[in-house]
Amino acid sequence: VFCTMSPAATDLYVAVTCVDDGGTQRYAYAMVPTDAPGVVVNDDWDALGMRASGSNSVAFNGVELPESGVRGGFTAGDPVPYMERNLLAGLLHAAASLGIAESADALACRGVSRRINSDARPRMQVADNAVELAAARSVLSRAAALIDEHHAANPASDGTAEEIGALFAEAQAAKAFVNDASARIVERALALSGGAGYLSGSPLARAYRDVKASSFMHPLGANRAYDYLARVALGEEAWLH
């Protein structure tokens, strides 16, 4: 699988499954030095967007680590520690998407302000972007505040399973909304720019490509996130890993 920033990495943080001394399968994390025998960082990152992320794929061919190379972890299949560990990941991805959308909108507004006249369609697009930016900022801020409040109220523990589950769902809902809204905002910005934004060297063209990656970002990618959120809302058992 691809690994972001792998060409510059000295160590790779790899999710693994292992069996502990008691025979229990665990979900854990391995720190793998990139110069370890068998580690191959492939020169194959050629994506539609995120071209600067250096997300080359990595192969592990018979790589051996000392026991100390595997750390942390929890019983495989236990959703609570997985959710607790990944509470913020979704919001970080959402924040990146929102930043792309904000930048694209600002560029489009600067360009269209000199020629918009009284045309109804571009004015509606500008207004729609203003509305969705306000909503996305609010949703992201609320989810982040809920997590901050939870950590402040539980300084010495993770809190209950119910609390972690509710917070994870809030973060995933925020991520899904912000990612979708950001893609719409950038698409409108590109339409407002006219043909100039369609040139490959345009910042808007780059934003259009980069914001599309938001739906693939884990945890959880869009396909899994919507199924997960539906299961939570319906009171069904929700699987994560």
Side-chain angles (χ1 to χ4, degrees):
V1 296
F2 70 83
C3 177
T4 298
M5 299 301 291
S6 53
T10 58
D11 294 89
L12 305 173
Y13 191 56
V14 185
V16 299
T17 54
C18 57
V19 177
D20 63 21
D21 292 338
T24 300
Q25 189 175 46
R26 298 180 65 79
Y27 185 97
Y29 302 89
M31 295 296 292
V32 184
T34 53
D35 59 0
V39 176
V40 179
V41 177
N42 301 295
D43 185 16
D44 59 0
W45 184 239
D46 185 22
L48 173 68
M50 293 179 59
R51 295 175 180 172
S53 73
S55 299
N56 300 39
S57 67
V58 179
F60 300 98
N61 302 315
V63 178
E64 296 184 4
L65 296 175
E67 187 174 349
S68 60
V70 178
R71 59 188 66 181
F74 44 86
T75 303
D78 185 351
V80 176
Y82 179 88
M83 289 189 290
E84 194 282 328
R85 191 178 189 92
N86 290 287
L87 270 181
L88 292 177
L91 299 188
L92 296 176
H93 293 142
S97 297
L98 180 54
I100 293 171
E102 289 175 329
S103 177
D105 178 70
L107 283 169
C109 286
R110 283 201 298 270
V112 79
S113 63
R114 297 187 296 272
R115 51 184 172 79
I116 194 170
N117 299 320
S118 58
D119 294 341
R121 176 61 175 166
R123 287 183 178 277
M124 181 62 74
Q125 289 174 318
V126 169
D128 283 342
N129 273 6
V131 170
E132 290 215 285
L133 281 171
R137 289 166 180 148
S138 297
V139 169
L140 180 62
S141 178
R142 176 180 181 276
L146 288 173
I147 292 174
D148 283 346
E149 291 167 6
H150 173 77
H151 286 313
N154 298 275
S157 70
D158 295 334
T160 67
E162 290 75 16
E163 290 170 338
I164 294 296
L167 285 173
F168 188 78
E170 288 282 353
Q172 291 303 310
K175 176 178 179 289
F177 178 84
V178 172
N179 287 349
D180 287 350
S182 296
R184 292 191 295 268
I185 291 165
V186 174
E187 188 162 355
R188 292 191 197 102
L190 186 60
L192 286 165
S193 76
Y198 198 66
L199 298 174
S200 60
S202 164
L204 285 173
R206 177 175 177 177
Y208 184 78
R209 295 190 303 268
D210 286 351
V211 80
K212 297 294 185 182
S214 61
S215 64
F216 307 127
M217 295 297 172
H218 292 275
L220 300 167
N223 290 341
R224 294 187 64 202
Y226 280 94
D227 177 70
Y228 173 80
L229 290 170
R231 290 177 179 275
V232 171
L234 294 171
E236 300 173 354
E237 186 173 4
W239 297 94
L240 288 171
H241 61 90

